[in-house]
């Protein structure tokens, strides 16, 4: 397994200005970082990939869609086409970065609600959108890890059972699922079983505390979680996802209204030790 740190804690646009942070993440022991793909061009991400290579950090990518004008499940064909084009752009950026995995809630618009639960028509539209995205991802050597989000952030897929059933219906090898301990803690009756039952579909794991702060300081059942991960044979990334108030728009989107840690360094240094200790114990 590889241990990663998501750069959302600092920014939605990683550049050379973050080199000192990246080097300290490497010095802490991390195998790589998760790079937000929210703006820019593939050339920007290619240059960032060169910097990460020089530091010795591997990388994954993460993205989300917050604009209803790019709704992959919307009734309007032009809106869906805009969404597919946006995800294809994110895939191109991830490939240029050197990331083989792009994860996140790339199935529907973050924070956009219809007032009802998902409909059969929305799932059908999603299948068509995801198959088009999957074809482009395959051409670029990228696998998409769709993320189930809690009910306060999306309505299409809230549980791993719903997500993985949808991935099965999509039926494309480059469209898979990711597991996030924060969302599972909210939505799953049995968060551990939600991981183990759906292991065949999972390509990425976010290690995120119940308050999205320092892993290990909250109430996620970490002993059981890491024991299940170790016993499962999962051999992908365990990436810390935490949030702070460094960026006003990102803090608002993730509903972060207070500080969860005394510093970003506490999050990634203590978080890394937390993962390493539990993996060793398991």
């Amino acid at each position: 397994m590889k241990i990663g740190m998501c750069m959302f804690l600092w920014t939605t646009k990683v550049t050379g200005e973050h080199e000192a942070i990246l080097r300290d993440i490497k010095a802490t022991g991390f195998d790589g970082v998760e790079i937000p793909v929210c703006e820019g061009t593939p050339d920007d991400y290619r240059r960032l990939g060169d910097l990460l290579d020089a530091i010795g950090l591997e990388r994954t990518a993460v993205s989300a869609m917050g604009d209803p004008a790019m709704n992959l499940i919307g009734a309007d064909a032009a809106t869906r086409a805009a969404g597919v084009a946006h995800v294809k752009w994110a895939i191109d950026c991830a490939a240029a970065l050197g990331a083989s995995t792009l994860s996140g809630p790339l199935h529907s618009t973050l924070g956009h609600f219809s007032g009802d639960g998902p409909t059969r028509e929305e799932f059908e539209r999603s299948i068509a959108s995801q198959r088009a995205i999957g074809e482009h991802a395959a051409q670029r050597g990228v696998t998409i890890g769709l993320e189930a989000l809690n009910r306060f952030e999306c309505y299409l897929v809230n549980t791993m059972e719903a997500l993985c059933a949808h991935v099965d219906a999509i039926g494309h090898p480059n469209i898979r699922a990711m597991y996030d301990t924060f969302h599972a803690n909210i939505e799953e009756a049995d968060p551990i079983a939600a991981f183990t039952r759906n292991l065949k579909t999972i390509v990425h794991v976010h290690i995120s505390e119940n308050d999205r702060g320092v892993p290990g300081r909250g109430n996620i059942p970490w002993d059981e979680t890491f024991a299940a991960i170790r016993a499962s044979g999962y051999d992908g990334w365990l990436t810390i996802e935490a949030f702070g108030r460094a960026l006003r728009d990102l803090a608002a989107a993730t509903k972060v209204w207070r500080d969860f840690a005394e510093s970003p360094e506490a999050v990634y240094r203590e978080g890394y030790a937390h993962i390493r200790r539990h993996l060793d114990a398991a």
Side-chain angles (χ1 to χ4, degrees), residues 244-257:
R245 297 195 294 167
L247 293 178
R248 182 181 178 88
D249 289 347
L250 181 59
T254 53
K255 308 300 184 289
V256 173
W257 313 123

Side-chain angles (χ1 to χ4, degrees), residues 4-247:
M5 181 67 207
C6 182
M7 296 299 291
F8 268 145
L9 183 59
W10 295 271
T11 185
T12 57
K13 184 180 181 181
V14 182
T15 69
E17 295 178 359
H18 299 95
E19 182 173 351
I21 296 169
L22 293 166
R23 289 192 178 278
D24 196 59
I25 289 171
K26 173 64 178 179
T28 299
F30 285 89
D31 298 292
V33 287
E34 188 156 88
I35 301 297
V37 178
C38 300
E39 59 181 291
T41 68
D43 282 344
D44 294 329
Y45 290 92
R46 190 172 292 108
R47 286 189 290 270
L48 177 58
D50 291 340
L51 174 61
L52 296 176
D53 286 341
I55 295 171
L57 286 168
E58 299 180 51
R59 74 292 320 228
T60 58
V62 62
S63 191
M65 304 173 68
D67 186 354
M70 298 187 295
N71 189 357
L72 291 167
I73 63 172
D76 179 63
T79 298
R80 297 196 303 276
V84 170
H86 179 79
V87 181
K88 287 182 177 180
W89 161 82
I91 290 167
D92 290 344
C93 292
L97 176 69
S100 60
T101 303
L102 171 65
S103 298
L106 295 169
H107 44 67
S108 56
T109 305
L110 182 65
H112 177 69
F113 297 91
S114 68
D116 290 302
T119 66
R120 179 177 58 81
E121 290 78 12
E122 285 174 323
F123 278 120
E124 289 174 352
R125 293 193 287 263
S126 178
I127 288 170
S129 295
Q130 293 300 327
R131 286 177 178 170
I133 290 166
E135 284 302 297
H136 189 77
Q139 293 170 12
R140 296 293 187 268
V142 173
T143 297
I144 304 295
L146 297 179
E147 181 179 16
L149 297 188
N150 69 78
R151 74 195 77 172
F152 308 108
E153 296 184 43
C154 89
Y155 69 96
L156 186 70
V157 282
N158 300 130
T159 67
M160 291 303 296
E161 292 289 346
L163 171 63
C164 293
H166 188 44
V167 169
D168 287 346
I170 293 164
H172 195 287
N174 289 74
I175 305 295
R176 305 290 295 284
M178 70 165 289
Y179 176 83
D180 184 297
T181 57
F182 167 80
H183 295 293
N185 181 64
I186 295 172
E187 293 294 341
E188 305 288 356
D190 186 341
I192 310 304
F195 172 80
T196 56
R197 283 198 305 264
N198 296 288
L199 181 64
K200 67 178 179 62
T201 313
I202 295 170
V203 294
H204 195 61
V205 172
H206 270 173
I207 299 298
S208 187
E209 193 50 89
N210 70 286
D211 64 356
R212 287 183 154 171
V214 182
R217 293 188 185 181
N219 64 23
I220 299 292
W222 291 117
D223 289 344
E224 296 88 344
T225 297
F226 283 105
I229 290 171
R230 181 66 92 182
S232 73
Y234 173 80
D235 197 32
W237 284 90
L238 301 179
T239 296
I240 294 174
E241 185 184 51
F243 293 96
R245 297 195 294 167
L247 293 178

